[in-house]
Amino acid sequence: MKLLFILDPYTSLKLAKDTSVAMMREASARGHQLYVCQQQDVFLRNELVRFKTQGFSFADGESWYALTPVTEMLPSEFDTILMRKDPPFDNEYLYSTYLLELANRQGGNVINNPAAVRNWNEKLSVTRFPQFCPEFLVTSQADLIIEFLNKQQEIIVKPLDGMGGTSIFKLTENDPNLNVILETITNDGKQTIMAQQYLPAIQQGDKRIIVIDGEPLPYALARIPKAGETRGNLAAGGKGVAQALSARDKEIATTIGKTLKSEGLFFVGLDVIGDYLTEINVTSPTGIVEIATQTDCKPAHIFVDALMTKLESKSH
């Protein structure tokens, strides 16, 4: 099989913990051909989507990979195109979903489905499953946020396009910086944000549950905040601890998994704090290397198995 991975700059990939690298290593070990490109290498010439790609192979030594010369290729020349560019979901990411949606129509097979990635904002998409959500508010108006805070006493506020724990604040009623935080995060009432009920269970970890073609892995990665912190994100200094899914975790993941599969969202990360769903990550979720290191689960193996099964079913 020919697999194209659309990645962040290759030198920025962390060999020891990068989910995309783990996927590629597993696919390579099975003899599949790997190609790579970056976001700017996807372009439209007249009506045809094209990719400036390079063949990729793993290598020993300081430079852990080798690339072939750049070749221009069409979507139909690959068995699967995996969009693994990290957020933020900015205008460039938006434009990429349009181009990749066209690529699908031109014989490509893009994972995750670009139209669904565009439609499933990673913060707002939890509202599709209100039975699993904490209380929340989406607005740009400070007075509504303060009213929500007065009711909840403690809340989390975050931008709708953030990642890695950036610009997430815990607010209390007596916070001396309350007004300036709200002015900043809403850009003086011009930017819509999400406020959520604060969940004390964050101290036991923000659980990342990986769902592959509708089925959750048996283990979650609990991102546990460092002392004095309210964010569990690994990028914000959290510690990743693998743990078996609880009954509630399984209920959330299997229920949502059916909808994800029907929408073509093949590889997704659900964020669960305690018993509540807080985010649905559809762009470039991570966490499988830590789960593989700490348990007997082999997420990259499961991913490639599921991908091959999906491709074989499409070819019949």
Side-chain angles (χ1 to χ4, degrees):
M1 301 271 190
K2 288 184 176 180
L3 310 179
L4 171 62
F5 285 79
I6 304 172
L7 302 170
D8 286 294
Y10 314 135
T11 54
S12 72
L13 301 177
K14 294 179 174 63
L15 183 60
K17 58 176 288 187
D18 191 277
T19 288
S20 299
V21 172
M23 292 172 171
M24 294 166 70
R25 197 181 289 284
E26 177 67 27
S28 176
R30 300 194 194 191
H32 300 298
Q33 291 178 258
L34 303 181
Y35 294 82
V36 294
C37 73
Q38 294 177 45
Q39 188 175 34
Q40 66 269 23
D41 297 320
V42 186
F43 67 102
L44 194 64
R45 182 180 289 127
N46 295 323
E47 75 280 12
L48 292 180
V49 177
R50 297 174 182 271
F51 302 89
K52 284 186 174 181
T53 71
Q54 293 176 277
F56 176 100
S57 58
F58 287 94
D60 296 322
E62 189 174 331
S63 180
W64 54 271
Y65 61 88
L67 300 172
T68 63
V70 174
T71 305
E72 198 173 293
M73 300 179 74
L74 297 168
S76 57
E77 295 182 71
F78 301 103
D79 293 284
T80 297
I81 300 161
L82 297 107
M83 177 52 159
R84 292 288 305 167
K85 169 76 175 69
D86 279 346
F89 195 98
D90 53 14
N91 277 342
E92 285 303 311
Y93 214 118
L94 175 66
Y95 303 148
S96 291
T97 66
Y98 292 131
L99 294 182
L100 292 172
E101 188 176 11
L102 283 173
N104 265 350
R105 294 179 193 164
Q106 294 171 11
N109 177 38
V110 181
I111 290 174
N112 286 322
N113 173 13
V117 168
R118 189 168 63 241
N119 291 336
W120 284 61
N121 175 276
E122 298 191 328
K123 308 295 188 292
L124 288 175
S125 56
V126 300
T127 63
R128 297 170 183 247
F129 307 97
Q131 71 271 36
F132 300 133
C133 293
E135 292 197 42
F136 63 88
L137 173 75
V138 176
T139 183
S140 62
Q141 297 184 40
D143 60 332
L144 292 179
I145 300 169
I146 291 171
E147 181 184 295
F148 181 67
L149 173 58
N150 290 338
K151 177 185 175 187
Q152 299 294 332
Q153 299 185 318
E154 293 181 308
I155 63 172
I156 295 292
V157 292
K158 53 189 175 181
L160 297 180
D161 59 354
M163 61 165 286
T166 56
S167 300
I168 292 178
F169 295 91
K170 178 189 176 185
L171 298 179
T172 59
E173 290 182 278
N174 299 320
D175 193 319
N177 297 308
L178 175 61
N179 289 330
V180 71
I181 288 172
L182 294 183
E183 288 166 11
T184 302
I185 197 170
T186 67
N187 190 17
D188 289 319
K190 295 189 283 290
Q191 181 169 307
T192 302
I193 61 111
M194 173 174 272
Q196 280 180 335
Q197 168 192 1
Y198 173 69
L199 301 170
I202 183 62
Q203 298 307 321
Q204 284 77 57
D206 181 354
K207 294 174 285 188
R208 165 60 55 85
I209 302 172
I210 298 292
V211 180
I212 300 174
D213 203 22
E215 296 293 330
L217 295 180
Y219 294 91
L221 185 69
R223 286 87 47 91
I224 299 172
K226 63 183 180 181
E229 179 61 82
T230 57
R231 301 171 298 170
N233 309 74
L234 300 185
K239 178 185 177 185
V241 178
Q243 55 185 231
L245 298 190
S246 68
R248 175 66 167 179
D249 294 338
K250 290 176 185 175
E251 179 191 5
I252 291 171
T254 53
T255 302
I256 296 173
K258 294 171 186 172
T259 303
L260 297 173
K261 183 169 182 172
S262 70
E263 298 247 351
L265 291 165
F266 184 85
F267 188 81
V268 174
L270 308 179
D271 289 350
V272 173
I273 298 174
D275 290 335
Y276 294 98
L277 174 72
T278 59
E279 291 188 19
I280 301 177
N281 296 270
V282 299
T283 47
S284 181
T286 61
I288 69 171
V289 175
E290 293 87 350
I291 291 172
T293 302
Q294 297 179 36
T295 72
D296 58 359
C297 183
K298 298 178 180 178
H301 186 93
I302 293 168
F303 171 80
V304 176
D305 274 354
L307 181 59
M308 294 303 113
T309 299
K310 181 179 178 70
L311 294 176
E312 285 165 11
S313 68
K314 281 191 71 171
S315 64
H316 294 315

